[in-house]
């Protein structure tokens, strides 16, 4: 493994640990808590697709006439992940993106999908992000998360997009979260079965194979440019910090709801 990859992994480990050991996971023990979590997490699920598409646009040919663009192995990685994320199968065997699957899980669970739908409709109708956030009343941490990702996207720097994708998005879901979802599913499968399936699919699709290829993509894009490696690490740390902030916001809302109850 490239020494700079090793260095980034070492330097982001404290942030990864903060996410893996985040108090939000132990705060979720009933359906209403999971609803709050999902109402925050959906923004990260959505903007992952945008980051992936930025990589597809920049590292493969998406214009006409077609030419072989960039590194062939990187193209394979991007196309494989796009296929997995944009056209997977749901529990009934219907083709769905992971985003749409997550929305189905939210509906089943009783979470509120009106804000995310309103947000996307506003963007589709030509509103800018600031206005779409306001109209949909997106949680502040969700706004910050998306804004940070789109700064990376709009930088046009593929090495930063790849670093954020590779290190900032490794799905950092601890075992206790799975066991909590399994517990809820054993008592209320009609509420949680789709979310359980989503988590399982995510782990299968984002397994070792993809993370290994993503590391080599980042390595190829940074290569021998020391400045690129420094920027890549800074972008990764920012992405992880925004994830922590998003989890903090979900935690605060979960706890305040319990106090009110």
């Amino acid at each position: 493994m490239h020494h700079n990859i090793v260095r980034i992994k070492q330097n982001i480990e404290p942030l990864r640990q903060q996410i893996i050991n985040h108090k939000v996971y132990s705060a979720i023990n009933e359906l209403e808590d999971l609803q709050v979590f999902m109402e925050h997490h959906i923004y990260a699920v959505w903007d992952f697709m945008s980051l992936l598409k930025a990589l597809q646009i920049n590292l493969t040919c998406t214009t006409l006439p077609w030419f072989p663009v960039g590194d062939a192995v990187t193209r394979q990685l991007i196309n494989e992940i796009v296929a997995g994320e944009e056209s997977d199968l749901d529990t009934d065997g219907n083709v769905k993106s992971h985003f749409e699957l997550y929305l189905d899980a939210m509906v089943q669970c009783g979470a509120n999908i009106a804000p995310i739908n309103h947000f996307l409709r506003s963007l589709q109708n030509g509103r800018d992000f600031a206005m779409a956030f306001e109209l949909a009343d997106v949680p502040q941490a969700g706004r910050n998360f998306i804004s940070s990702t789109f700064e990376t996207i709009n930088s046009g720097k593929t090495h930063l997009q790849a670093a954020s994708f590779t290190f900032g998005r490794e799905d950092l879901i601890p075992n206790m979260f799975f066991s909590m979802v399994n517990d809820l599913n054993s008592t209320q499968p009609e509420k949680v079965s789709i979310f359980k399936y989503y988590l399982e699919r995510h782990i299968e699709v984002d397994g070792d194979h993809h993370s290994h290829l993503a590391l080599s993509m980042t390595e190829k894009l940074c290569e021998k440019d020391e400045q690129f490696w420094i920027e890549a690490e800074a972008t990764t740390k920012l992405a992880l910090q925004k994830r922590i902030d998003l989890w903090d916001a979900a935690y605060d809302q979960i706890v305040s709801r319990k106090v009110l109850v």
Side-chain angles (χ1 to χ4, degrees):
M1 196 181 288
H2 195 284
H3 69 276
N4 279 319
I5 296 274
V6 173
R7 190 189 70 204
I8 291 178
K9 283 191 162 214
Q10 285 172 343
N11 291 349
I12 66 172
E13 190 54 28
L15 288 166
R16 284 186 78 251
Q17 288 304 320
Q18 278 188 60
I19 296 170
I20 292 165
N21 300 312
H22 200 285
K23 56 195 174 183
V24 73
Y25 295 116
S26 51
I28 301 170
N29 42 41
E30 51 191 356
L31 205 58
E32 290 79 5
D33 305 331
L34 186 60
Q35 290 164 2
V36 172
F37 178 82
M38 295 177 85
E39 286 163 14
H40 285 77
H41 187 206
I42 186 63
Y43 296 101
V45 174
W46 175 77
D47 102 341
F48 174 81
M49 292 303 301
S50 298
L51 189 58
L52 176 57
K53 283 289 164 179
L55 287 167
Q56 187 180 31
I57 290 163
N58 290 324
L59 298 174
T60 73
C61 186
T62 56
T63 54
L64 293 171
W66 180 88
F67 304 101
V69 169
D71 177 79
V73 176
T74 297
R75 286 201 299 267
Q76 182 193 33
L77 164 70
I78 299 292
N79 291 333
E80 208 176 284
I81 296 178
V82 167
E85 292 287 340
E86 205 169 31
S87 40
D88 201 0
L89 298 176
D90 71 6
T91 48
D92 298 321
N94 301 310
V95 179
K96 292 257 173 83
S97 69
H98 280 184
F99 172 77
E100 291 162 305
L101 184 59
Y102 200 95
L103 285 183
D104 289 348
M106 288 180 75
V107 170
Q108 186 194 39
C109 175
N112 183 11
I113 62 167
I116 181 70
N117 282 338
H118 194 169
F119 172 64
L120 296 192
R121 265 199 318 276
S122 299
L123 290 178
Q124 283 176 309
N125 291 335
R127 307 281 193 181
D128 64 13
F129 275 87
M131 180 59 79
F133 287 147
E134 285 298 318
L135 290 170
D137 201 19
V138 174
Q140 189 58 49
R143 299 180 191 202
N144 296 346
F145 192 93
I146 290 170
S147 298
S148 180
T149 301
F150 272 83
E151 270 182 41
T152 300
I153 289 170
N154 295 332
S155 73
K157 295 180 175 180
T158 50
H159 64 288
L160 300 186
Q161 295 162 1
S164 180
F165 183 86
T166 301
F167 298 110
R169 300 309 181 112
E170 286 181 296
D171 256 357
L172 306 157
I173 298 171
N175 289 332
M176 72 173 178
F177 187 60
F178 283 113
S179 54
M180 180 279 301
V181 172
N182 282 331
D183 289 348
L184 278 178
N185 190 59
S186 63
T187 54
Q188 297 171 280
E190 74 289 352
K191 295 287 188 186
V192 191
S193 61
I194 300 175
F195 186 57
K196 180 174 181 285
Y197 174 79
Y198 168 86
L199 291 177
E200 287 165 355
R201 286 303 297 149
H202 225 63
I203 283 165
E204 279 176 48
V205 174
D206 291 353
D208 286 348
H209 175 58
H210 280 174
S211 59
H212 179 71
L213 290 174
L215 285 171
S216 64
M217 169 179 70
T218 304
E219 189 180 321
K220 281 194 180 82
L221 291 168
C222 291
E223 283 209 278
K224 298 180 181 68
D225 192 320
E226 201 53 42
Q227 187 56 38
F228 277 18
W229 284 109
I230 292 165
E231 289 175 6
E233 183 178 318
T235 295
T236 299
K237 285 178 173 171
L238 185 63
L240 292 170
Q241 185 57 55
K242 295 297 178 193
R243 172 80 61 157
I244 293 166
D245 296 345
L246 193 63
W247 277 191
D248 285 349
Y251 174 81
D252 290 345
Q253 195 176 324
I254 288 167
V255 170
S256 63
R257 189 192 67 81
K258 288 181 194 286
V259 170
L260 290 171
V261 173

